[in-house]
Amino acid sequence: MSRTPVIAGNWKMNLTSESSVALAQGVANYQGQPTSRKCCVFPALVHLSAVAEAVAGSAVSLGAQDCHEADGGAFTGEISAAMLKDVGVEVVLSGHSERRHIFCEDDSRVAAKSAAILEAGLDLMLCVGETLGEREAGNTFQVLDRQLGVLSDFGAFVERISVAYEPVWAIGTGQSATPEIAQNAHAHCRAVVEGILGGEAAASMPLLYGGSVNSSNAEELLAQEDVDGALVGGASLDIENFGPILDAVPNV
Ligand code: PEP
């Protein structure tokens, strides 16, 4: 089964409203109107509406980096999935390593947020990945099995789910996983998805790699059989770097 590659830019807590709009326009122009690759950008929450306008009518989807799991209520400073949908968001990250490790979000929180995202009608990009200590202890697959376990409740939503394998030791360090390490982990993730949601879901679910992807390593990483795209942090912050990563996937 063929899977449409996805190249995603996670802008984290960077850029101004003006520079977010300029970058979004640059990405939209670069992306053009391809049929063979998807592209999405994840600006800071406060810039979502401005970026929604900038990518309207283009082949770039709007993503949000986080949301709260409740529908609404007394949660000062938080944003619900329905609020994100209301401003044009199509896809939301859940389980990003910075949320797990800096903001102490455990698997049950990730599961609750993921459910809220899917139930609001949005796409879910579930991030998973092991720390360096977990890898060195030989526990990578065990961690991935546990983190992917949240998918067991989402059988009704498989068409709206993608997974980003992001080894924590590779995020923001400049030390990407080798293509072999990425392929190995992705093949394992696909087998786990098959065990949880069945063969059809596993064959159709995009599995993105994230962790120090740049214009020099993107092509080799994306050439791996089970690597269906890239979630890019630092190198997504300007079109000079992000454009060539998009180009690593043929635009036909
Ligand atoms: C990320 O934050 O999802 C990420 C992959 O960051 P970077 O590309 O900077 O490692």
Side-chain angles (χ1 to χ4, degrees), residues 10 12 96 98 166 170-173 210-213 231-235:
N10 176 12
K12 309 193 186 189
H96 190 279
E98 286 146 23
E166 300 203 295
I171 296 182
T173 60
S212 296
V213 175
L231 178 55
V232 186

Side-chain angles (χ1 to χ4, degrees), residues 2 50 88 92 97 100 104 250:
S2 71
V92 188
S97 82
R100 290 182 192 265
C104 306

